[in-house]
Amino acid sequence: MRPSAIETLPASSLSPRGTYWITTFGCQMNKADSERMAGILEQLGYAAGSGEDEADLVLYNTCTIRDNAEQKVYSYLGRQARRKRTNPALTLVVAGCVAQQEGEALLRRVPELDLVMGPQHANRLETLLAQVESGQQVVATGEHHILEDITTARRDSQVCAWVNVIYGCNERCTYCVVPSVRGREQSRLPEAIRLEMEGLAARGYREITLLGQNIDAYGRDLPGSTAEGRHRHTFTDLLQHVHDVPGLARLRFATSHPRYFTDRLIDACASLPNVCEHFHIPFQSGDDALLQAMARGYTVDRYRRIIDRIRERMPDAAISADAIVGFPGETDAQFRHTLDLVEAMGFDQVNTAAYSPRPGTPAALWADQVDEAVKVARLQELNAAVERTARQRSARYLGRVEEVLVEGSNPRDAGQLMGRTRTNRLTFFPADGHGPGDLVPVAIDTVRAFSLSGHARP
Ligand code: SAH
Ligand code: SF4
Ligand code: F3S
């Protein structure tokens, strides 16, 4: 899963508590947490505000996956801290991964803050705000058992929803800050997950993405697991348990870890009609020695075999991934191996990033850091390769009819709708009486690297 552009929840009218504003940085986990926190705020009597500089409560749900993500948060906070000096009634909250990483240190840096709360505390927002109202400055970053939340999340989309299935991550990838900010793995019970999905389907949602930082770890911590590491509630079992929720048209999941991705899962995806033919499986590097230094626990060959197997069972499947350039010690030849893998696999999309040393991670302390200029050059070269292969992959859609699930209007052209193919390609087409939630067969007449256009087939 990958940090996306800053997204902000929309505005509406006034209410007894005043208005709130949430800005979300980072990955879908944060996005899902923000939707739950927005639900809690609305239940408390806050209404969605029209802008962050007018709201009575401002909450930043933060990301620290790379240094630039973290720095962005401080610049936003600086502005609100200044506003609070003239408007002491403003409630200022930092949630998410920077909150967890920095804890009390954030209060020293921004003393105007009312509440600093880690991701495991998202469902406790009401309790924490009550403490703030009693006059305290609150820091909630302790390890916490995540409780099932009874609040209805305030979701951005009325068509697609996220459902967490496992929180946290027990891996120890040497570059990654996630385990230290998201805590130990905590799987939700299959029954609770299915219940939430049924509720969503009953409210009209057509597509659900099941979420976990390492979704293949699902169930390891649930009762029934054996000492040998076998367990009864694997992610594949979960898919079997939830794939047929009535009313749902599509099911997706992310993020998959190559180390744990099983043939059994591939077979289940191929045989369950609602599970979409799109897999997000980060490889991080195309070089075995680097994969080992990253402690990823697989080889390039194993990764290739997974993709081959997926394509054997689902020839049209789309594959996306994440990759890092400039990991400590990465030589030019090793970087070429990453380029080779991108060229060879034909990815539909790859999220790329320059390695950023993170506090508390082993690789940040290694002596053989790669020069920033080298990282930038490699990133550019990799991005060009990614775009080339994405364009080649898009070409296969030309002249085809694809089932598109409409999510809303094209933000750049109100006469057009926007949706996705089962393989997750963004697709635009003239509305012609269709609307959000419709599954429309679209004849594709224009292909671009990362999106398609066409016309609804009558
Ligand atoms: N759980 C997912 C990744 C979550 S973080 C997985 O195991 O693949 C999302 C992505 O951010 C990662 O896939 C990685 O490509 C990138 N990333 C994580 N830490 C990074 C760092 N220190 N520097 C640069 N990119 C990083
Ligand atoms: Fe980070 Fe690795 Fe866990 Fe993914 S699997 S969140 S990269 S530690
Ligand atoms: Fe996600 Fe960023 Fe936290 S990627 S898990 S919001 S550090």
Side-chain angles (χ1 to χ4, degrees):
M1 220 140 308
R2 139 118 351 205
S4 61
I6 299 164
E7 290 175 52
T8 306
L9 294 163
S12 77
S13 59
L14 277 175
S15 83
R17 290 269 192 151
T19 58
Y20 73 92
W21 183 267
I22 297 181
T23 300
T24 306
F25 305 85
C27 67
Q28 289 150 313
M29 304 281 165
N30 261 14
K31 197 79 178 110
D33 289 347
S34 284
E35 292 185 341
R36 287 204 308 279
M37 291 192 285
I40 294 172
L41 290 173
E42 295 196 357
Q43 214 165 49
L44 283 174
Y46 286 94
S50 56
E52 87 190 296
D53 289 329
E54 284 83 45
D56 301 293
L57 181 150
V58 174
L59 186 155
Y60 292 124
N61 197 10
T62 60
C63 173
T64 183
I65 198 76
R66 287 182 285 277
D67 186 58
N68 54 7
E70 182 180 351
Q71 297 313 321
K72 202 160 12 176
V73 173
Y74 297 125
S75 82
Y76 276 63
L77 271 180
R79 263 205 330 266
Q80 291 300 325
R82 281 194 294 282
R83 183 156 85 91
K84 177 135 182 170
R85 277 175 232 138
T86 55
N87 174 14
L90 169 65
T91 305
L92 203 47
V93 183
V94 178
C97 297
V98 175
Q100 185 65 37
Q101 178 185 281
E102 296 298 312
E104 299 239 4
L106 257 183
L107 291 186
R108 282 191 288 278
R109 187 162 180 166
V110 189
E112 291 82 1
L113 283 174
D114 295 293
L115 170 57
V116 175
M117 54 188 287
Q120 295 184 0
H121 297 261
N123 294 357
R124 298 184 60 228
L125 182 59
E126 177 173 0
T127 312
L128 298 171
L129 281 177
Q131 290 171 19
V132 168
E133 274 165 25
S134 74
Q136 302 173 43
Q137 234 178 352
V138 181
V139 178
T141 52
E143 182 82 14
H144 188 74
H145 177 71
I146 300 171
L147 302 167
E148 282 299 329
D149 184 20
I150 45 157
T151 312
T152 310
R154 185 212 196 274
R155 297 182 190 259
D156 264 7
S157 162
Q158 258 106 69
V159 178
C160 306
W162 292 302
V163 169
N164 288 96
V165 304
I166 176 168
Y167 301 102
C169 179
N170 288 6
E171 295 301 302
R172 283 288 175 269
C173 304
T174 50
Y175 51 83
C176 185
V177 78
V178 170
S180 75
V181 290
R182 289 268 161 182
R184 306 284 301 166
E185 289 167 1
Q186 297 186 39
S187 301
R188 293 175 67 198
L189 290 170
E191 295 72 31
I193 294 165
R194 181 159 176 126
L195 210 62
E196 180 176 357
M197 292 172 70
E198 286 171 350
L200 287 164
R203 301 212 311 281
Y205 285 88
R206 307 301 314 275
E207 175 178 305
I208 285 177
T209 303
L210 304 175
L211 286 183
Q213 278 297 356
N214 169 8
I215 204 156
D216 304 279
Y218 175 78
R220 290 204 284 217
D221 56 316
L222 291 177
S225 300
T226 65
E228 302 84 55
R230 283 200 309 275
H231 50 283
R232 283 191 288 133
H233 303 288
T234 66
F235 180 62
T236 307
D237 299 319
L238 179 70
L239 264 191
Q240 302 279 8
H241 186 67
V242 302
H243 76 94
D244 58 353
V245 167
L248 279 189
R250 291 179 173 185
L251 197 53
R252 303 183 186 279
F253 58 87
T255 299
S256 303
H257 196 306
R259 181 177 188 175
Y260 304 103
F261 204 92
T262 62
D263 286 354
R264 197 172 154 244
L265 176 60
I266 297 172
D267 293 343
C269 294
S271 66
L272 301 175
N274 282 352
V275 178
C276 291
E277 299 74 26
H278 168 230
F279 299 88
H280 183 66
I281 319 179
F283 58 85
Q284 311 301 0
S285 167
D287 182 86
D288 282 341
L290 277 187
L291 285 174
Q292 192 163 21
M294 290 174 167
R296 291 287 291 177
Y298 54 86
T299 59
V300 177
D301 190 51
R302 151 113 180 124
Y303 186 84
R304 283 169 171 267
R305 275 188 280 119
I306 293 169
I307 307 303
D308 290 347
R309 169 88 187 185
I310 290 173
R311 291 198 167 134
E312 241 167 62
R313 301 286 276 114
M314 291 162 274
D316 197 45
I319 312 288
S320 60
D322 299 348
I324 298 174
V325 300
F327 185 76
E330 186 186 66
T331 63
D332 195 56
Q334 289 175 321
F335 167 63
R336 301 279 139 208
H337 291 158
T338 295
L339 278 179
D340 293 345
L341 187 66
V342 167
E343 301 282 359
M345 300 313 316
F347 290 105
D348 294 80
Q349 165 84 283
V350 183
N351 304 312
T352 59
Y355 169 73
S356 167
R358 305 310 293 134
T361 59
L365 304 174
W366 297 349
D368 48 357
Q369 302 290 325
V370 174
D371 195 71
E372 281 306 317
V374 173
K375 287 186 201 170
V376 170
R378 288 181 187 168
L379 190 60
Q380 279 172 356
E381 196 173 346
L382 182 60
N383 285 343
V386 166
E387 182 167 344
R388 224 168 27 243
T389 61
R391 204 174 285 283
Q392 283 160 11
R393 290 289 289 164
S394 271
R396 76 190 195 278
Y397 294 104
L398 196 63
R400 270 170 44 173
V401 175
E402 288 291 307
E403 179 201 85
V404 174
L405 174 61
V406 180
E407 293 174 23
S409 314
N410 178 350
R412 297 210 194 118
D413 178 352
Q416 287 210 331
L417 294 174
M418 179 180 80
R420 281 169 201 276
T421 64
R422 282 176 64 97
T423 51
N424 210 36
R425 267 287 187 269
L426 200 57
T427 307
F428 305 102
F429 64 98
D432 287 337
H434 296 288
D438 291 349
L439 284 169
V440 183
V442 176
I444 306 299
D445 54 30
T446 310
V447 299
R448 290 169 293 269
F450 302 108
S451 65
L452 313 169
S453 294
H455 288 84
R457 208 184 50 174

